[in-house]
Amino acid sequence: MTTTNEPTERNKNYGRIISFTRRGSRLGDKFEKVMAEYGPHYVIDYPAGEAQTTIADDAFIDLVDAFGRVAPLVVEIGPGSGEQLISQAKAHPERNFLALEAWAPGVARCVNAAMREGVENVRVMEADAAQTLPIIFRTDVEVPNPRAVEVWTFFPDPWRKTRHHKRRIVNDAFTRTIAGVLADDGIWRMATDWDNYAWQMRDVIERSECLTNLHPGENPDPNDEGDFVGGFAPRWTGRIMTRFEQRGIDAGRTIHDVCATPSSEAQTITLP
């Protein structure tokens, strides 16, 4: 999801490169009313960290309490307007769906879509996923949150310029976080319409000691400039055609999918 404004090079409070840009957060009358009425139900509040959309280091978010039940959990990073999120929430009422979105209008649109479709198994956090996920799934508490059966990172901001590639959320460090979020047999599903981001996604999975590529060597890309060959998954049938994917197809870009699951090394991970 491409943005236009330039962020500062590093988040001054956490000493790391951020993967998103704070954009305008004016919601308009429609979404202001939606958030006032339905936000308390769908949006998980949290003790704020020192920077925007970050969570306090010592926070604990009780997901069982937030959803009001124990159920298989799916986490979506960057749901945009919530098309994929709501589609799967309707199709799988037996699952809980947690969305992390750093863009306030995106949060409002997800809430509006959930309300409009009447789904009750969705919760949204306006939060920076890279900083927040290790705290949500921290292991230094008496009863940690249940691990996710799936994590989705579909069409994340590609940070197209080479000098900005370091801001991409899918990187070597983030694989450790995801491995700690997933259940032992969980799946991290990724997709992008930018070739060099797809190669990067595949490469970080292949290099990871805590994640295993579910499709090693498969579907090789003849234009691949990465460090490995193949490793791309078939298109997941559960992913609907969103405007982000359609935009890439209309522009003549190739859609690549990458899927990974925790390796035995993931069992040793402690978060945060």
Side-chain angles (χ1 to χ4, degrees):
M1 291 170 279
T2 305
T3 56
T4 55
N5 297 329
E6 293 285 330
T8 56
E9 179 68 14
R10 289 185 180 274
N11 176 315
K12 65 180 181 178
N13 295 300
Y14 288 90
R16 61 184 177 79
I17 297 169
I18 60 176
S19 61
F20 61 91
T21 300
R22 291 290 296 175
R23 292 163 283 183
S25 58
R26 293 179 63 86
L27 302 181
D29 290 344
K30 172 185 175 181
F31 289 125
E32 291 283 0
K33 292 177 181 177
V34 166
M35 289 299 288
E37 185 170 355
Y38 297 98
H41 179 64
Y42 286 107
V43 178
I44 298 177
D45 198 8
Y46 57 84
E50 296 181 6
Q52 290 179 321
T53 65
T54 60
I55 190 170
D57 291 335
D58 60 351
F60 175 67
I61 304 299
D62 188 336
L63 293 182
V64 174
D65 180 67
F67 282 96
R69 66 174 186 172
V70 176
L73 177 68
V74 176
V75 176
E76 182 169 18
I77 299 167
S81 298
E83 301 104 313
Q84 172 69 25
L85 176 73
I86 303 306
S87 171
Q88 283 292 295
K90 288 180 65 178
H92 295 281
E94 77 283 1
R95 289 183 165 188
N96 291 337
F97 291 81
L98 173 65
L100 279 74
E101 173 59 65
W103 186 40
V107 172
R109 289 170 182 170
C110 287
V111 169
N112 185 62
M115 173 274 297
R116 185 178 62 244
E117 297 297 331
V119 295
E120 293 292 329
N121 54 336
V122 167
R123 296 294 182 270
V124 187
M125 294 181 69
E126 184 182 346
D128 167 10
Q131 187 269 342
T132 302
L133 282 173
I135 297 174
I136 296 175
F137 293 92
R138 66 189 316 139
T139 53
D140 59 347
V141 292
E142 185 175 353
V143 183
N145 280 312
R147 293 302 188 256
V149 295
E150 294 189 11
V151 174
W152 303 337
T153 310
F154 294 145
F155 303 95
D157 194 321
W159 291 108
R160 290 170 288 178
K161 295 180 180 179
T162 300
R163 68 177 184 273
H164 292 160
H165 286 184
K166 59 184 175 290
R167 297 187 177 127
R168 290 172 169 174
I169 192 169
V170 179
N171 56 36
D172 291 316
F174 196 53
T175 61
R176 180 177 177 83
T177 293
I178 298 301
V181 168
L182 284 170
D184 290 346
D185 58 350
I187 299 176
W188 185 13
R189 301 187 187 278
M190 293 167 274
T192 181
D193 58 330
W194 288 91
D195 285 348
N196 57 27
Y197 201 174
W199 306 331
Q200 176 179 326
M201 289 176 174
R202 185 273 323 278
D203 284 355
V204 299
I205 296 303
E206 295 290 352
R207 286 194 297 264
S208 174
E209 295 181 353
C210 52
L211 290 170
T212 300
N213 193 331
L214 288 172
H215 299 273
E218 295 182 26
N219 302 306
D221 180 348
N223 300 313
D224 201 331
E225 297 177 2
D227 296 332
F228 298 86
V229 176
F232 299 108
R235 189 185 192 281
W236 179 45
T237 57
R239 195 178 78 241
I240 65 169
M241 181 63 67
T242 65
R243 59 193 176 96
F244 294 106
E245 182 170 1
Q246 189 61 58
R247 185 185 300 166
I249 292 171
D250 292 344
R253 295 192 290 271
T254 300
I255 310 300
H256 289 86
D257 285 65
V258 178
C259 289
T261 194
S263 68
S264 58
E265 291 295 323
Q267 298 176 10
T268 66
I269 293 175
T270 59
L271 297 176

